Amino acid sequence: MRPTMADVARAANVSLKTVSRVVNDEPSVSGATLLTVQQAIQDLGYRRNEHARALREGRLSRMLGLVTKDVSNPFYAAIARGVEEEVRGRALLVVAGSSDEDAERERVLLELLCERRVGGLLVVPTGSDHSFLAAELALGTPIVFVDRPSCHVAADTILLDNAGGARAATAHLLSYGHRRVAFVGDLPDVYTTVERARGYREALVAAGLPVDEALVRLGCHDTKTAEAAMHELLSQSPPPTAVFTGNNRITFGVVRVLAGMARPPALIAFDDFELAPLLSPPVTVVAYDAVELGRQAARLICERLDGADGPPRLIVVPTEVVPRGSGEVGP
């Protein structure tokens, strides 16, 4: 059992009220008694239960809840890093969990965090209905949705320019003479997939080209399904001369397939990754600052905690095409 204030009181031979005053830094305890109680606290290893104190006083805790799709994914790890960097000087603890793209798992995580009276929530949403968070918002818990917008609840949101980045990537490939550009994307009902597919199609239409749905492969949720999709695309006659991949996990699977080819299709990937400049050829990417995405999300939370009022805010983080070689070859 962890030591309690009662244990400290017995060890110091003082009243429970005196221990409470010392723990709460009240100035009404004499020097000698203060030293005795502090020594007992040190000897016993007593720590004040801030969570219980917050619940007892009906206030929010010093914790922030961060729920992402997968904390092991470098993209979400970078967001978590940005959040932690931003709140480091505010004595806030970030507690992270993964929804694994499961709406029910997401709901359970969010409800558990709300039960613990977290000071704020940062959510990369998976489910299609977040109205269950409306009551929490009304009670004053700030919530920021990151990378994807919320569903059926109005809250601060920070997004990437997904469609704009996809348009730029596709137009980049078209500028090198490609006319059969394939798109390999994640699950079709995921917001980022929808937006990136939209940008891809808009670039083709803007160039006066038809959108050939036979060149579109959605539902690639991991590297294995991305590999299978790339093999299917290459079996077409004629095969695509260029490929635009919708996220870093998909890119890993596609690169595995293209690595064995003497003359692979041109490639541009949405999401930068550490090995991209080191591959042969180095991978051209649609890049952005994921750490900054986390920082700005945490900034929005902190502003609300500091009393900022007003309607929900929307921030869109820009993207850019970083040419490295794989996307700068002709058909």
Side-chain angles (χ1 to χ4, degrees):
M1 296 290 292
R2 289 184 176 273
T4 65
M5 283 201 296
D7 296 325
V8 174
R10 281 191 293 271
N13 196 28
V14 297
S15 69
L16 186 61
K17 182 62 177 176
T18 299
V19 175
S20 176
R21 287 172 177 155
V22 173
V23 168
N24 290 293
D25 296 322
E26 295 180 17
S28 56
V29 182
S30 67
T33 303
L34 176 65
L35 291 175
T36 301
V37 174
Q38 288 176 337
Q39 187 62 53
I41 287 173
Q42 182 176 330
D43 292 344
L44 294 173
Y46 169 80
R47 289 181 183 273
R48 182 168 63 182
N49 189 334
E50 287 289 350
H51 177 60
R53 185 184 183 201
L55 290 177
R56 185 170 60 251
E57 297 176 0
R59 59 181 174 83
L60 299 175
S61 73
R62 303 294 296 173
M63 294 189 298
L64 295 180
L66 172 63
V67 177
T68 68
K69 170 184 167 183
D70 179 4
V71 293
S72 70
N73 186 306
F75 171 65
Y76 299 114
I79 289 177
R81 176 185 169 189
V83 171
E84 290 187 329
E85 286 181 359
E86 186 64 28
V87 305
R88 190 168 290 162
R90 300 178 63 101
L92 290 169
L93 174 67
V94 180
V95 181
S98 300
S99 66
D100 296 322
E101 210 71 74
D102 182 327
E104 183 56 31
R105 170 65 178 162
E106 175 189 63
R107 185 181 183 118
V108 169
L109 283 172
L110 290 171
E111 288 181 341
L112 286 172
L113 289 167
C114 290
E115 287 172 7
R116 283 154 180 78
R117 298 279 182 86
V118 291
L121 289 170
L122 300 106
V123 188
V124 179
T126 289
S128 59
D129 185 0
H130 294 93
S131 57
F132 65 95
L133 291 173
E136 200 67 28
L137 273 168
L139 289 169
T141 305
I143 301 176
V144 175
F145 289 93
V146 187
D147 189 45
R148 306 170 187 176
S150 62
C151 297
H152 307 302
V153 65
D156 292 338
T157 304
I158 182 164
L159 306 173
L160 291 174
D161 184 9
N162 293 286
R167 270 195 307 272
T170 308
H172 189 81
L173 292 170
L174 295 176
S175 72
Y176 282 85
H178 295 282
R179 293 298 176 265
R180 289 186 58 77
V181 179
F183 173 65
V184 185
D186 205 332
L187 299 174
D189 57 347
V190 171
Y191 169 79
T192 51
T193 306
V194 173
E195 288 297 289
R196 293 169 193 179
R198 177 168 71 85
Y200 159 81
R201 292 185 173 99
E202 287 176 354
L204 293 172
V205 172
L209 296 172
V211 178
D212 185 354
E213 295 298 336
L215 293 173
V216 177
R217 289 292 184 279
L218 301 181
C220 300
H221 193 50
D222 52 32
T223 55
K224 287 186 177 180
T225 51
E227 285 182 54
M230 194 65 238
H231 280 300
E232 286 181 7
L233 288 166
L234 291 173
S235 69
Q236 294 182 10
S237 183
T241 62
V243 183
F244 171 45
T245 53
N247 62 38
N248 54 10
R249 288 283 172 86
I250 291 171
T251 303
F252 299 153
V254 168
V255 165
R256 285 181 181 176
V257 176
L258 302 188
M261 299 179 63
R263 184 170 172 77
L267 171 65
I268 294 184
F270 206 112
D271 296 337
D272 203 355
F273 55 100
E274 287 186 356
L275 291 178
L278 306 178
L279 297 175
S280 182
V283 179
T284 297
V285 298
V286 177
Y288 49 86
D289 190 342
V291 175
E292 182 61 20
L293 194 70
R295 286 196 199 101
Q296 291 203 39
R299 210 167 293 146
L300 290 174
I301 281 277
C302 291
E303 288 173 3
R304 294 296 190 188
L305 288 172
D306 290 340
D309 203 355
R313 296 163 293 180
L314 172 64
I315 295 176
V316 179
V317 174
T319 60
E320 63 173 332
V321 174
V322 180
R324 294 198 178 113
S326 68
E328 291 70 49
V329 293

